[in-house]
Amino acid sequence: MNPIKALLADVPFMVIDGAMATELEALGCDLNDALWSARLLAQAPEKIRQVHQAYFEAGADCAITASYQATVPGFMQAGMTAEEARALIQLSVTLAQQARDAVWQPGQTDRPKPLVAASVGPYGAYLADGSEYRGGYDLDRAGLVEFHRERFELLLAARADLLAAETLPSLEEALAITDLLAEHPGAQAWVTFSAKDGQHISDGTPIEECAAALANCPGVAAIGVNCTALAHIESLIQSIRRQCDLPILVYPNSGEVYDAVTKTWHPAQCDHTAADISGLAQGVEHWLAAGASGIGGCCRTTPEDIQALAEWRRSR
């Protein structure tokens, strides 16, 4: 069963959570590391659970786990054993589940049971060189299948509600994910791309081509975009909707611009076009009208942003 469609039977759209790293930094955590927030799975797991709980309390229907940059090779390069690495990857799911259990109780009727989506970050996130915003990897589709396989299986075994294959810069990597889904009947995953403009994902492939390729793949629960500028979201939703009937998920950045070379954020240069949307809550009506089924936030968004989305939904 598609868990997103099941949840959407109870709400007009799914509220996805916001940035993990932004909140961890606000709690005083130093994330200047190749493992990024995944390092805290070993060093401060209680902080990760705290952030998940803050998003659930804000009204999120879905938490994305802190496994975006968590891979067995990455942890081993940081000095951990393979066994320790595998345990930490599965811990990412447990922490989100614990946070959900602290906020939502069986039998609660004022909201549906929130989902836990286990993050499957792109190969570029493991490389930690910004290539999740470029593509152009040194691995082909078969190589990408093998790279993703172990974490994919560990997260499924941890009993997440579904996987979140996110910030993918290329269709080839998305198709590698569908190859793994085909090996695990019943497994469900959403696939979201990073996009460079209102029509193309990061490596230049038209988003319509991606949507058409994934529309009928078994196990693909939703398609969408994340870690993308606010101004591009409406056009991207419209392009996806022309090619498929699956739920469309969007969780863009806050509006600031990330420099993958310097690893710093800068204010957006606004061109004052009609597509310019200042903040998640201001974009909701546009995105829902275009065909979105789930809305949340990526980099630099906060529980306050997600609370605004949840309050907007309650007010309608």
Side-chain angles (χ1 to χ4, degrees):
M1 175 184 290
N2 183 328
I4 295 174
K5 287 185 176 180
L7 187 143
L8 289 171
D10 296 319
V11 292
F13 68 93
M14 180 171 74
V15 175
I16 306 167
D17 67 1
M20 171 64 68
T22 300
E23 286 306 292
L24 290 173
E25 288 175 333
L27 293 173
C29 301
D30 180 6
L31 304 183
N32 186 21
D33 187 274
L35 288 172
W36 199 31
S37 54
R39 180 170 60 88
L40 297 188
L41 289 168
Q43 297 183 352
E46 72 283 355
K47 296 286 182 68
I48 292 174
R49 183 172 54 243
Q50 181 179 344
V51 173
H52 283 313
Q53 185 165 334
Y55 280 117
F56 282 132
E57 289 173 345
D61 298 311
C62 182
I64 302 171
T65 65
S67 49
Y68 179 80
Q69 276 178 295
T71 65
V72 173
F75 279 132
M76 291 180 69
Q77 288 170 13
M80 301 176 197
T81 67
E83 286 188 3
E84 289 170 335
R86 295 182 186 110
L88 289 174
I89 289 169
Q90 295 193 311
L91 176 63
S92 71
V93 175
T94 301
L95 293 171
Q97 292 168 333
Q98 290 173 342
R100 176 180 62 190
D101 292 345
V103 174
W104 187 91
Q105 302 299 320
Q108 191 169 334
T109 59
D110 60 337
R111 64 190 290 188
K113 182 179 181 180
L115 302 175
V116 170
S119 177
V120 178
Y123 177 56
Y126 159 71
L127 297 176
D129 62 357
S131 57
E132 65 261 53
Y133 307 110
R134 299 190 306 269
Y137 298 148
D138 58 356
L139 290 184
D140 60 10
R141 180 169 167 176
L144 289 166
V145 169
E146 292 311 310
F147 168 76
H148 284 294
R149 184 185 301 282
E150 184 170 22
R151 176 175 52 173
F152 189 99
E153 293 175 348
L154 286 167
L155 293 171
L156 286 180
R159 303 186 68 81
D161 296 297
L162 75 166
L163 305 183
E166 54 180 353
T167 328
L168 304 187
S170 72
L171 176 56
E172 187 169 60
E173 188 161 24
L175 293 174
I177 296 296
T178 68
D179 291 341
L180 287 167
L181 286 170
E183 294 178 8
H184 297 82
Q188 297 279 310
W190 80 52
V191 177
T192 54
F193 297 92
S194 61
K196 62 192 247 179
D197 58 34
Q199 302 295 331
H200 304 87
I201 66 171
S202 290
D203 75 347
T205 304
I207 191 74
E208 285 199 32
E209 181 180 332
C210 299
L214 299 177
N216 297 305
C217 292
V220 176
I223 301 174
V225 291
N226 74 292
C227 210
T228 295
L230 290 163
H232 302 323
I233 299 301
E234 185 175 0
S235 174
L236 290 162
I237 296 168
Q238 292 168 340
S239 296
I240 295 169
R241 181 53 72 218
R242 284 193 287 269
Q243 297 297 329
C244 81
D245 295 323
L246 285 169
I248 297 175
L249 310 183
V250 293
Y251 45 114
N253 296 333
S254 65
E256 295 170 84
V257 178
Y258 184 65
D259 185 326
V261 176
T262 63
K263 298 185 178 180
T264 55
W265 289 91
H266 306 281
Q269 298 299 311
C270 178
D271 62 6
H272 299 290
T273 64
D276 181 51
I277 301 294
S278 57
L280 300 180
Q282 285 73 26
V284 174
E285 288 191 71
H286 299 270
W287 301 337
L288 292 176
S293 306
I295 299 172
C298 201
C299 299
R300 310 289 280 186
T301 59
T302 66
E304 289 72 27
D305 292 310
I306 301 313
Q307 183 176 355
L309 289 178
E311 289 177 350
W312 187 95
R313 188 177 68 182
R314 282 194 295 269
S315 71
R316 297 307 191 269

